[in-house]
Amino acid sequence: MSGTNKVVKPGQVLFRAGDKSDGMYLIRKGELRVYLEQGGKEVALATVGSGGMIGEMALFDGAPRSASVKAISESEVTLISTDDFGKLMKQIPKWFVGLMSSLSNRLRQTNERLQKLETGVTSKTMAFQAPVRILNVIILLWHKDGEKDGKDFVVQKAVIEKSLIEVFNEDAEKLRVLFEILAREKILSTRQDSYKNVVYAMSNRAVLNQLAAFIPQWVRANPKQPCLDADGVNILRALEAIVTSSPYDSVTVSLADLQKEGKKMGLDTAKWEKAMLQFQAAGDDLRLVKASGGSGLRVSKKEASVALKHHEVLAAFFKANLQ
């Protein structure tokens, strides 16, 4: 896809919030800041460097710019105009274009909510915008190119990675790490199809949707806590073990019982009392409550495993420093 090249000097504004969109910018060289102007001050939202892209949502929904962008250092960018991108989209089924527009609107709303977080939000927390964006694009590509193969939904590894890299300009190494995490956490698996093509496979595509929705919800509710620490994740492992064997659909488990189960699993529970505070804003499906002898966690049987999986993935994304 061809485009128009442009050099942006340090401090020069590429576009401002509210401007009419002229397309998407690919960053060939340099570094740019995404920011909002509030009370006469600039509130930095993100820094995007070489290989990144800015303004991609406007290609699908045509809405005005939701934030401003200026160069931090001398930068080279390539503009993919709305007209040029429209020519490419004519080769893609209309239903997929509609899905992309819907996704863009959802991403824009998520981005706006993230922008409204208190200034205490750390750069590491904001970094989860990248995996959320990638996950949402994967979901759409799975709908476009995925096929049913036995009990699984599959998509060719080469097809989905080529689309992410060439069309959406995602970083190949970042994608490799993200897919490794998803495979390790058994969100998806890798195998060969009947034609010997390497494919990504999932038995339930809704799992990716749930994960993509969970991350911004957690970020919004926990702006100063990007993910659970190791003790927090281990508490969820003990919780899952207890809840799985319970005859009840909704269970409250005390800290004492969690520690008891943790010790049976060979886990160090010495700091779990303090670690329980991490669940103060965990959400409606997993709640910190008063229990016998102190605090406890309340969760439904069907949500215990989901909560554990989501937090394991989020912790892995954070550890891998996905930007």
Side-chain angles (χ1 to χ4, degrees):
M1 187 188 303
S2 61
T4 304
N5 295 326
K6 181 177 182 179
V7 175
V8 190
K9 300 294 184 180
Q12 182 180 347
V13 175
L14 186 61
F15 55 76
R16 296 185 183 279
D19 285 353
K20 182 179 178 180
S21 169
D22 55 353
M24 172 182 73
Y25 289 90
L26 305 179
I27 302 173
R28 301 299 185 186
K29 177 184 176 183
E31 197 171 45
L32 293 96
R33 177 183 293 114
V34 183
Y35 66 96
L36 288 177
E37 295 183 25
Q38 297 180 351
K41 297 181 179 180
E42 291 184 4
V43 179
L45 301 176
T47 299
V48 186
S50 178
M53 59 183 174
I54 291 175
E56 67 276 11
M57 290 187 293
L59 289 173
F60 301 103
D61 61 16
R65 301 296 190 187
S66 59
S68 301
V69 174
K70 68 166 54 174
I72 297 174
S73 59
E74 182 168 291
S75 304
E76 295 179 8
V77 299
T78 298
L79 171 65
I80 305 299
S81 71
T82 304
D83 289 341
D84 287 342
F85 194 77
K87 294 176 184 177
L88 172 66
M89 295 304 284
K90 288 180 180 178
Q91 304 172 31
I92 299 175
K94 290 184 178 179
W95 65 265
F96 182 63
V97 178
L99 280 175
M100 294 301 293
S101 179
S102 177
L103 168 65
S104 176
N105 183 57
R106 187 168 74 177
L107 287 176
R108 187 180 292 277
Q109 291 174 351
T110 298
N111 188 47
E112 289 173 353
R113 288 196 297 267
L114 286 170
Q115 291 172 7
K116 292 177 182 178
L117 291 173
E118 296 180 358
T119 55
V121 175
T122 66
S123 59
K124 290 183 178 179
T125 302
M126 296 301 288
F128 288 128
Q129 291 180 81
V132 168
R133 182 185 67 245
I134 295 171
L135 288 172
N136 278 294
V137 173
I138 290 173
I139 290 167
L140 290 182
L141 291 174
W142 217 297
H143 278 285
K144 176 178 179 289
D145 298 313
E147 299 177 349
K148 195 77 166 65
D149 185 13
K151 296 182 179 180
D152 293 333
F153 293 93
V154 302
V155 64
Q156 289 189 28
K157 181 176 182 288
V159 169
I160 199 167
E161 291 184 353
K162 182 178 180 181
S163 296
L164 283 163
I165 294 170
E166 295 185 2
V167 177
F168 295 96
N169 203 42
E170 297 293 352
D171 179 74
E173 177 62 18
K174 185 185 300 180
L175 292 176
R176 182 190 67 77
V177 174
L178 183 139
F179 277 115
E180 281 185 355
I181 292 172
L182 295 180
R184 186 172 68 244
E185 298 297 337
K186 299 181 180 178
I187 299 295
L188 51 76
S189 60
T190 305
R191 60 177 173 82
Q192 287 188 332
D193 63 12
S194 56
Y195 299 100
K196 305 300 181 183
N197 296 310
V198 178
V199 297
Y200 290 120
M202 288 189 298
S203 59
N204 183 1
R205 289 181 296 185
V207 173
L208 271 184
N209 295 69
Q210 293 168 354
L211 178 60
F214 159 75
I215 297 175
Q217 289 171 0
W218 173 266
V219 169
R220 188 165 62 251
N222 300 270
K224 296 182 180 180
Q225 181 180 304
C227 65
L228 295 179
D229 64 17
D231 284 322
V233 174
N234 281 335
I235 287 174
L236 290 184
R237 292 186 176 120
L239 179 67
E240 182 196 35
I242 294 172
V243 171
T244 301
S245 60
S246 172
Y248 303 105
D249 291 332
S250 184
V251 184
T252 297
V253 184
S254 68
L255 171 60
D257 287 339
L258 288 168
Q259 289 175 316
K260 182 178 179 181
E261 182 66 29
K263 290 175 181 177
K264 286 169 55 179
M265 299 169 69
L267 302 173
D268 181 0
T269 67
K271 299 179 181 179
W272 280 20
E273 182 174 3
K274 181 179 180 181
M276 289 285 282
L277 297 175
Q278 298 176 76
F279 297 98
Q280 288 179 322
D284 294 333
D285 296 327
L286 177 65
R287 288 181 289 163
L288 181 66
V289 297
K290 291 183 179 180
S292 176
S295 63
L297 291 175
R298 184 167 183 80
V299 68
S300 66
K301 182 180 291 188
K302 68 177 182 179
E303 292 296 335
S305 296
V306 174
L308 172 60
K309 187 65 63 181
H310 285 171
H311 283 285
E312 285 179 332
V313 172
L314 190 61
F317 282 167
F318 181 75
K319 184 178 181 180
N321 196 28
L322 291 178
Q323 298 295 322

